[in-house]
Amino acid sequence: MAQVIFRGVRKSFGNAPVIHGFDMDVRDGEFVVIVGPSGCGKSTLLRMVAGLEAISDGEIAIGERVVNRLEPKDRDIAMVFQNYALYPHMNVEGNMAYGLKIRGLPQAEIDARVARAAQILELSPLLKRKPRELSGGQRQRVAMGRAIVRKPAVFLFDEPLSNLDAKLRVQMRAELQDLHRRLQTTSLYVTHDQVEAMTLAQRMVVMNGGRAEQIGAPLEVYKKPASTFVAGFIGSPPMNLIPAGKDGREVLLGVRPEHLQPCAEGEAKMTVNVDLVEPLGSDTLVYGHTGDNGDGARVAVRLHQSFAAQTGRLPVRFDPAHEHLFDKATGLRIED
Amino acid sequence: MIENRPWLTVFAHAVLILGIAVIAFPLWVTFVASTLTLDEIISVPMPLVPGSHLWENYAQALTSGTEAGAAAPVGRMMLNSLVMALAIATGKIAISIIASFAIVYFRFPLRNFFFWMIFITLMLPVEVRIIPTFKVVSDLGMIDSYVGLTLPLIASATATFLFRQFFLTVPDELAEAARIDGAGPLRFFWDVLLPLSKTSMAALFVIQFIYGWNQYLWPLLITTQENMYTAVIGIKRMITSGDALTEWNLVMATAMLAMLPPVAVVVLMQRWFVRGLVETEK
C-alpha cells in the first residue's frame, strides 16, 4: 500500500507534447479514476506510472520512492490491460503464478496466493483452463487475479472493462468496488466511460488534451464542473450550455437536462422547440433548441414523466441553485 | 458444387484420377523396378507387377551399395542426408527465430536496414552465390564435413520473415505484461514467445527438412568422399557412365529409400504443419 505522487509530470513523443504538466497526490488506499476522451493522454499517464513509458519531465513517486528510473518490476505495481494480455499457452494457474515464479517465491507460498486469489475471484474451478477456453468476464477476472497475487502497492487498470458487453460491465464494476473495499489497495483506473468513473471513483481526474481539467470527488465534479469541457463530459446527456450575457460579459449558462422542469408558459425561463423525443421507460429525453429561427442553442431535457407530444413547444424552468456560469472565451467556471 | 449434374461429377473424377495416375505411375514403376532383378528390368517390356527380389535388393543397397557405380552403402548415405536435413532444419529455425526476435522487439540503429538486407537475400537462390560460397568453405577446410555441408545453407531469409510476421501479430501488451511480471527479454522469449511459436516452428521444420533432404547441387560440390555422400547424390553416383552396367534395381531401391524420410516427416507432422500455417493461437 502506498501513495502515488505526481510532480509536474510531462510527456512528449518526439516533439509532440502529450502531457503538459500533471500534479496530484493519490492517497494511500484511494481509488482514483482518470477519465477523458481518447487521445487525452490518460493511458500515457498510467503507463508512465507502470514504467512502460519514460517520463519526459517531472517525477512520479510511489510510496516514498521516486520511480522515474525504476524498471516496471521494481515499482511494486500490477497492471490490468484492456485486452487482458493473458499468456495464451499457460493455464489460469500458470498465468497468475508466472510473476511470482520469476520473483523466486517458494512454491508453497505461490500456491497459497494463487488459491486465495482464485477463491476471491471465484476462479477455483477454472484453474486448469487455458485463456481461450474462458469467457470475456472470466479472462478479465484472471487478469485481476494476476494483479492480486503480487500484493502490489498500487493497482493500475487500463480500460479493463471496455471489451465486455454492457451487462457484464455493470457486474464487473460492482465486483471491482467490492474488491477494492476488501483489499484497500491504492488504485489508478483509466476509462473513457463517465459512468464507470462516477460509480467507481473516490476521486476522479477529468483529462482533456494532456491536462487535468478537474480533480475531485465524483459528485463534486458533477455539481461544480470546472469548465465547459467537464460539464459536457460528465453527465448524460451532457449539460446544456446556452449563450447569455451577465454584467456586460459574454457567458455560457449551464443547466443539466435533469434540472429542467416543465412549467406553465408564464413562469418559464426558456422555451424549447422540441425536435426529438426518446422515451426510456423510467424517464424521457427530449431534445430541442431555443429560439424560433433555428439559430438557438441545442437543449436536452430529462423528464420524469412521459411526454406525449412528438414536437411542439415545451416551456421549462429551473432552480437558480442548479445554474452554472462559464466564461465564453476560456470555458472556465465563473465562481459565484 | 451448386449444380448437381451427374456427368459433371464423372468428369471431375476422371480428371482427378488421371492426375493421380500421372503422378503415381512413375512411383509405381520405381517400386516395381526395385523388386526385380537387373535382367528382368532390362527385358522389354519391363514387367509392371512387383517381382520377388524386394528384400535382397533393399538389403544390398542398404548395406553394400552397387558394385559398378559408387560402392558406399545407402545406409551411410541416408545417415548423412538425415544429419544434413536435421541440421539445416533446426539450424534455420534457431537462427531465424533469434534474428526475428531482435528485429521485432529491440530498438537499435539501422534496424530496418538490417531487416531489408535480410529480406533482399530472399531473392538470391543458393545457385547464384554458390561459387563464392564454395571458395569460402573450401578455404576454411570444411570440404567433406557436416559443417561444410550444412552451415552455408542455414541462414534463412524466408524463415526470418515468417517469424517476424508472426511476432508482429503477438499483442504488445503481452510483452508489457511480462515486463511487469519481471521477465527480462530472454525470459520473455523463452517462456512466452517460443511456446507461442510452436506451430510455426513445426510447419517450418517440415518445409526445411524436405529442403535440406533434397539438396543436390551443394552436396555435389562439397562432398568428394563416398562416405560423405548424401542419398540424393548417391543415386546420381550409382548411375554409371561408360561401359559398366547400371544396376537399376539397386538404384530404384535407393530412390525408394531416399523418399521415405521426407514422406515420414510430412505424415507424422501433418497435423502440426497445417495448424502452423492456418491457426494463430492468441
Side-chain angles (χ1 to χ4, degrees):
Chain A
M1 296 231 194
Q3 53 189 351
V4 182
I5 298 164
F6 298 84
R7 288 278 169 268
V9 174
R10 287 168 193 278
K11 174 74 186 174
S12 23
F13 290 112
N15 288 328
V18 199
I19 310 267
H20 312 268
F22 181 78
D23 292 273
M24 187 181 183
D25 285 16
V26 178
R27 289 186 288 271
D28 186 8
E30 197 175 17
F31 199 112
V32 169
V33 176
I34 305 169
V35 65
S38 48
C40 71
K42 57 189 189 302
S43 282
T44 310
L45 195 63
L46 193 76
R47 292 166 59 82
M48 284 197 283
V49 180
L52 298 171
E53 300 283 356
I55 299 161
S56 304
D57 195 19
E59 56 180 45
I60 295 177
I62 298 175
E64 305 298 317
R65 286 184 309 170
V66 174
V67 295
N68 284 34
R69 303 220 161 273
L70 290 183
E71 270 291 299
K73 66 179 165 78
D74 301 321
R75 294 189 179 197
D76 204 5
I77 47 114
M79 186 155 171
V80 177
F81 294 89
Q82 180 177 359
N83 64 2
Y84 322 132
L86 300 177
Y87 308 118
H89 57 292
M90 296 183 195
N91 60 23
V92 170
E93 191 176 14
N95 265 287
M96 294 204 276
Y98 185 60
L100 303 180
K101 249 178 221 157
I102 290 181
R103 283 203 279 170
L105 260 62
Q107 190 62 44
E109 169 77 9
I110 296 179
D111 291 344
R113 286 200 192 185
V114 169
R116 175 94 186 99
Q119 191 203 340
I120 293 177
L121 295 163
E122 290 162 27
L123 287 169
S124 304
L126 307 175
L127 282 179
K128 298 294 174 200
R129 298 253 195 107
K130 294 277 178 70
R132 65 163 176 272
E133 297 158 344
L134 302 177
S135 69
Q138 289 168 336
R139 285 181 207 185
Q140 181 57 57
R141 252 182 258 167
V142 177
M144 280 196 243
R146 190 166 65 175
I148 292 174
V149 292
R150 303 192 50 182
K151 298 190 178 162
V154 181
F155 280 133
L156 305 174
F157 298 94
D158 191 1
E159 310 212 9
L161 304 186
S162 43
N163 277 8
L164 302 176
D165 62 54
K167 195 176 163 194
L168 208 50
R169 213 177 298 163
V170 176
Q171 186 193 331
M172 290 302 289
R173 215 158 65 199
E175 285 186 25
L176 265 172
Q177 273 174 311
D178 185 46
L179 199 63
H180 181 251
R181 206 172 19 248
R182 251 200 268 193
L183 302 175
Q184 293 293 328
T185 307
T186 315
S187 304
L188 288 177
Y189 185 107
V190 160
T191 180
H192 59 261
D193 181 351
Q194 54 107 4
V195 179
E196 263 171 46
M198 292 295 291
T199 50
L200 284 171
Q202 291 175 341
R203 270 199 300 163
M204 63 199 275
V205 179
V206 184
M207 286 194 71
N208 183 31
R211 282 193 181 78
E213 293 261 340
Q214 188 168 9
I215 299 175
L219 283 179
E220 180 190 324
V221 173
Y222 174 82
K223 282 182 184 152
K224 284 194 163 193
S227 66
T228 50
F229 174 80
V230 179
F233 197 79
I234 302 298
S236 172
M239 184 185 282
N240 299 307
L241 295 169
I242 299 143
K246 193 180 186 190
D247 309 333
R249 190 173 169 194
E250 274 198 86
V251 296
L252 288 171
L253 171 72
V255 193
R256 294 204 177 270
E258 48 272 41
H259 294 149
L260 291 172
Q261 295 151 349
C263 60
E265 287 269 4
E267 53 185 359
K269 289 214 172 173
M270 61 180 168
T271 304
V272 180
N273 293 299
V274 178
D275 297 321
L276 178 69
V277 177
E278 286 183 342
L280 297 178
S282 61
D283 41 27
T284 306
L285 296 179
V286 178
Y287 297 94
H289 56 272
T290 59
D292 287 329
N293 34 21
D295 57 353
R298 301 187 57 77
V299 175
V301 184
R302 185 190 285 271
L303 297 176
H304 295 289
Q305 65 270 40
S306 56
F307 181 71
Q310 282 298 309
T311 51
R313 290 164 61 80
L314 177 67
V316 289
R317 63 184 169 124
F318 54 88
D319 182 347
H322 290 138
E323 171 186 294
H324 309 262
L325 288 178
F326 301 97
D327 186 276
K328 195 175 183 185
T330 61
L332 293 180
R333 182 181 188 85
I334 300 168
E335 284 302 334
D336 34 34
Chain B
M1 211 55 92
I2 300 162
E3 293 168 272
N4 186 15
R5 295 184 195 160
W7 62 266
L8 208 61
T9 313
V10 171
F11 178 71
H13 277 77
V15 171
L16 289 174
I17 289 167
L18 188 72
I20 291 170
V22 167
I23 292 167
F25 184 67
L27 287 175
W28 177 248
V29 172
T30 308
F31 173 70
V32 168
S34 73
T35 63
L36 300 173
T37 62
L38 185 55
D39 290 339
E40 285 169 324
I41 293 177
I42 52 179
S43 65
V44 178
M46 187 190 116
L48 283 177
V49 285
S52 57
H53 293 77
L54 179 134
W55 186 242
E56 290 166 49
N57 288 343
Y58 281 81
Q60 198 195 335
L62 270 176
T63 53
S64 57
T66 58
E67 280 153 33
V74 177
R76 171 78 197 187
M77 296 180 192
M78 301 263 296
L79 181 71
N80 290 342
S81 279
L82 190 71
V83 170
M84 179 177 177
L86 283 178
I88 289 178
T90 48
K92 268 179 192 267
I93 289 172
I95 295 263
S96 52
I97 200 167
I98 294 169
S100 322
F101 179 57
I103 285 172
V104 174
Y105 285 96
F106 292 85
R107 310 267 170 276
F108 53 90
L110 300 180
R111 186 166 69 120
N112 265 318
F113 171 79
F114 284 117
F115 170 69
W116 285 109
M117 284 298 286
I118 294 171
F119 192 70
I120 283 170
T121 59
L122 263 179
M123 298 166 205
L124 299 176
V126 178
E127 288 73 13
V128 173
R129 52 182 169 88
I130 203 155
I131 292 178
T133 311
F134 180 80
K135 172 77 174 141
V136 170
V137 169
S138 76
D139 285 355
L140 289 173
M142 294 196 293
I143 301 269
D144 282 327
S145 71
Y146 287 130
V147 179
L149 208 50
T150 53
L151 196 60
L153 298 177
I154 277 180
S156 170
T158 325
T160 310
F161 185 68
L162 203 130
F163 280 124
R164 172 185 181 263
Q165 295 309 96
F166 172 71
F167 288 168
L168 288 178
T169 65
V170 174
D172 290 344
E173 284 86 352
L174 222 50
E176 290 171 350
R179 247 181 102 188
I180 291 176
D181 270 340
L186 284 180
R187 192 85 199 243
F188 169 68
F189 177 70
W190 192 256
D191 285 351
V192 180
L193 274 187
L194 273 191
L196 289 181
S197 313
K198 264 193 301 196
T199 49
S200 308
M201 282 161 71
L204 262 178
F205 180 84
V206 172
I207 295 170
Q208 303 298 2
F209 182 88
I210 294 170
Y211 166 86
W213 185 273
N214 288 344
Q215 279 302 310
Y216 177 68
L217 188 58
W218 182 250
L220 191 66
L221 284 176
I222 212 74
T223 57
T224 57
Q225 292 168 10
E226 285 185 349
N227 67 358
M228 286 303 293
Y229 284 174
T230 62
V232 178
I233 300 302
I235 295 170
K236 160 77 179 71
R237 301 275 174 168
M238 281 177 172
I239 302 169
T240 55
S241 50
D243 296 338
L245 205 54
T246 301
E247 290 166 89
W248 287 111
N249 50 341
L250 299 186
V251 174
M252 293 305 174
T254 310
M256 288 305 291
L257 287 172
M259 262 186 268
L260 288 180
V263 170
V265 166
V266 171
V267 169
L268 292 178
M269 298 193 66
Q270 189 170 202
R271 198 169 59 92
W272 284 89
F273 179 70
V274 175
R275 268 174 63 184
L277 293 185
V278 299
E279 185 195 85
T280 45
E281 188 190 4
K282 270 181 293 303

